[in-house]
Amino acid sequence: MSFDTLGLAEPIARSLTEEGYSAPTPIQAAAIPHVMAGRDLIGIAQTGTGKTAAFALPILNHLGNSLKRPALKSCRVLVLSPTRELSAQIVDSFKTYGRHLRLSVGLAIGGVPIGKQIRALHHGVDVLVATPGRLLDLAQTRAIDLSQVGILVLDEADRMLDMGFINDIRKVIGMLPKKRQTLLFSATMPAEIAKLASEMLVDPATVSVTPPASTAERVTQRAIHLDRREKPSTLAGLLRDPAIDRAIVFTRTKHGADKVVRGLAGAGIDSAAIHGNKSQGQRERALAAFRDGKVRTLVATDIAARGIDVDGVSHVINYDLPNVAESYVHRIGRTARAGKDGIAISLVAEDEVAYLRDIEKLIRAAVPAEGDVPERVTAKPRASQPQRGQRQRQQGAPKANGQKAGGHKAEGRNGGGQKADGRKPGENRRNGRAGGGRGRNERAAHRNPGTSNGNDIGAVAFMASPVRGR
Ligand code: AMP
């Protein structure tokens, strides 16, 4: 199938040619006709399948075809996404594909000053991409009126559920017109998301591509069984391999990520950490250094890495195994993109073997093992299996080496750390202003507004290029 058969307007088709896209990906081919026909849609697809363009292209087509301008303090399309990084990337996609249209796209995320966003929203925007918490802040201070939203996109709905955003989402939906088009994208379809979908979508078309397990098939995987104490030196040894172009090292906690960066620095290896305790400016700078090849190793938590789209990641190293098997699939999906090969290496301590077994069940394959696999570990390390969504709130594997249990929680809105959209637990949303501790980060983000992809994070970014060829 070619893009021509989809009937996208010429300015959009032109930007796709400029981007070097020759044909729609399967999710695009399946979803775009339904969205263009105005239907509600459930898209089951994960990052890397081209799902962003699957909704951005038909939405841009719709906006480009209508002469309506957004009213003051309103938006015509609302995209909700779980993380700041993913939100910035979605804005970037709208800007890229819509560069030949005269449309405006705004970004409303936490962790940066709200004032600039309030001012930027004053004249209204065509597309607003937001994390749920900051959007509610803006709605409650009447900086944005959501009653004009014609299209709602919920991206990575399962991750929003995991991060505890479901109530915020319900609140946002209560502010939207009942008559609207709704598109929901999710990598998996847990019962709670299916329920939400049945409440908020009307007669949706469902399209599904690449079940999560299949990503794993494109990646060469290895598990190294070792004593937990050997992890720092093993990691340093692995990273000295010149075959590594770019590596993402995953840890389960923010504290763990910082500790790995410090340990690697001690071994003479440069790396950068990206997690929810870092300011937006720090995160963007780390990501830019990684993208530009200035730093070969990025150390990340699952949530911070979600949605990161960096080409040419040759290796993913699981310094800690995730206690949610699906996270493993998301992690290793950071490599082997755009048809390239990828290598995923997991450092498995004895108390993580049960997690590896969960992962192998999910991907329906054994991960080739090196080292002595402890035979006696067959039972799960936890007494009962928590429900999905609760899992990230719970401590994962029991700590080895006398580490204090419960010392550092897995990152997430309910994980006790910084909220994914920048608010700290207990921070008053109504107030709309951060507590004292955030000022420094906000100023840092303010001084460094640029991102690797050129977005003005924290402000509403406008696509000002004139309509050509329309
Ligand atoms: P996503 O799943 O939206 O995160 O997209 C993953 C990557 O695929 C992004 O880098 C896009 O730029 C790229 N992409 C999306 N659609 C296409 C296409 N039709 N042809 C080639 N690359 C694409």
Side-chain angles (χ1 to χ4, degrees):
M1 190 194 234
S2 87
F3 274 112
D4 294 346
T5 54
L6 293 173
L8 294 164
E10 189 279 332
I12 300 170
R14 186 152 31 112
S15 63
L16 295 176
T17 308
E18 288 163 0
E19 282 303 293
Y21 294 4
S22 50
T25 64
I27 186 75
Q28 291 162 6
I32 290 173
H34 290 303
V35 183
M36 282 175 67
R39 273 191 82 172
D40 282 5
L41 180 96
I42 296 175
I44 302 174
Q46 63 181 121
T47 310
T49 55
K51 69 178 168 58
T52 314
F55 61 80
L57 297 177
I59 287 174
L60 284 165
N61 197 68
H62 169 77
L63 294 173
N65 280 337
S66 103
L67 295 172
K68 231 169 99 182
R69 302 252 55 98
L72 284 184
K73 297 185 180 182
S74 79
C75 62
R76 300 169 65 197
V77 174
L78 174 65
V79 182
L80 285 178
S81 112
T83 67
R84 304 170 198 172
E85 280 77 15
L86 181 61
S87 302
Q89 282 173 16
I90 295 170
V91 165
D92 202 34
S93 295
F94 272 100
K95 288 170 75 179
T96 301
Y97 307 138
R99 67 165 79 98
H100 300 301
L101 299 169
R102 187 188 286 275
L103 295 168
S104 56
V105 56
L107 176 64
I109 54 175
V112 288
I114 198 167
K116 209 170 165 193
Q117 293 174 358
I118 292 173
R119 285 191 296 280
L121 284 172
H122 184 77
H123 292 290
V125 288
D126 290 296
V127 179
L128 179 61
V129 182
T131 48
R134 178 53 64 94
L135 182 70
L136 284 173
D137 287 344
L138 289 163
Q140 281 160 1
T141 53
R142 299 191 192 284
I144 182 84
D145 164 18
L146 297 176
S147 67
Q148 308 289 312
V149 172
I151 304 176
L152 167 71
V153 181
L154 227 90
D155 199 14
E156 305 211 344
D158 53 348
R159 187 52 47 151
M160 300 233 224
L161 173 71
D162 282 347
M163 291 167 70
F165 281 138
I166 218 81
N167 286 336
D168 285 356
I169 290 168
R170 286 186 199 280
K171 275 188 214 160
V172 170
I173 288 168
M175 298 175 185
L176 303 177
K178 290 225 164 8
K179 195 169 154 4
R180 57 164 199 268
Q181 185 178 13
T182 306
L183 316 175
L184 181 147
F185 285 82
S186 195
T188 56
M189 198 39 73
E192 246 187 287
I193 292 298
K195 183 166 176 281
L196 185 75
S198 71
E199 288 165 19
M200 57 181 262
L201 281 83
V202 180
D203 184 28
T206 300
V207 297
S208 174
V209 295
T210 327
S214 64
T215 310
E217 289 154 19
R218 303 201 324 263
V219 181
T220 306
Q221 299 167 71
R222 245 162 85 196
I224 301 177
H225 291 267
L226 74 186
D227 188 285
R228 184 174 288 276
R229 283 167 299 194
E230 296 168 326
K231 285 194 178 190
S233 57
T234 306
L235 177 67
L238 288 170
L239 290 175
R240 286 202 181 94
D241 180 352
I244 294 184
D245 292 329
R246 279 199 186 94
I248 302 184
V249 176
F250 281 95
T251 62
R252 203 171 54 79
T253 67
K254 296 176 269 195
H255 170 79
D258 287 333
K259 210 167 148 193
V260 166
V261 169
R262 284 197 302 274
L264 288 176
I269 297 169
D270 217 14
S271 65
I274 173 165
H275 57 66
N277 277 1
K278 300 275 178 190
S279 71
Q280 185 63 23
Q282 285 172 323
R283 297 211 273 185
E284 292 299 337
R285 278 195 298 280
L287 203 52
F290 185 59
R291 266 209 185 96
D292 300 345
K294 289 185 191 128
V295 169
R296 220 164 53 120
T297 305
L298 189 71
V299 184
T301 54
D302 288 296
I303 285 170
R306 182 74 177 174
I308 288 177
D309 180 25
V310 178
D311 288 337
V313 174
S314 59
H315 290 66
V316 164
I317 300 178
N318 294 309
Y319 188 82
D320 300 315
L321 274 199
N323 54 349
V324 178
E326 284 89 348
S327 295
Y328 176 86
V329 180
H330 290 308
R331 286 181 181 190
I332 71 171
R334 307 293 98 212
T335 180
R337 289 167 90 93
K340 291 199 183 123
D341 289 340
I343 293 174
I345 303 170
S346 298
L347 306 187
V348 188
E350 192 182 86
D351 58 8
E352 293 173 308
V353 173
Y355 296 149
L356 184 63
R357 300 291 166 252
D358 279 353
I359 288 162
E360 290 176 328
K361 250 183 253 159
L362 178 75
I363 64 174
R364 285 175 240 113
V367 178
E370 287 169 29
D372 295 330
V373 185
E375 274 172 35
R376 62 185 176 78
V377 183
T378 49
K380 298 211 178 280
R382 48 189 180 257
S384 63
Q385 279 274 13
Q387 293 301 304
R388 189 184 164 80
Q390 283 177 331
R391 288 185 188 181
Q392 296 213 344
R393 278 165 240 155
Q394 301 201 356
Q395 273 307 107
K399 298 280 168 81
N401 302 332
Q403 241 183 300
K404 215 172 99 198
H408 296 282
K409 294 177 179 168
E411 191 169 4
R413 179 158 181 170
N414 294 325
Q418 190 183 25
K419 292 169 182 178
D421 63 348
R423 281 178 293 123
K424 302 210 170 59
E427 188 176 311
N428 186 353
R429 181 184 301 136
R430 261 173 247 284
N431 187 351
R433 287 190 66 83
R438 206 167 73 174
R440 193 156 24 102
N441 287 350
E442 284 181 353
R443 281 195 295 278
H446 198 66
R447 275 198 306 276
N448 298 288
T451 69
S452 56
N453 53 23
N455 288 325
D456 186 7
I457 299 295
V460 169
F462 287 93
M463 300 191 296
S465 37
V467 186
R468 270 182 261 149
R470 255 204 324 136

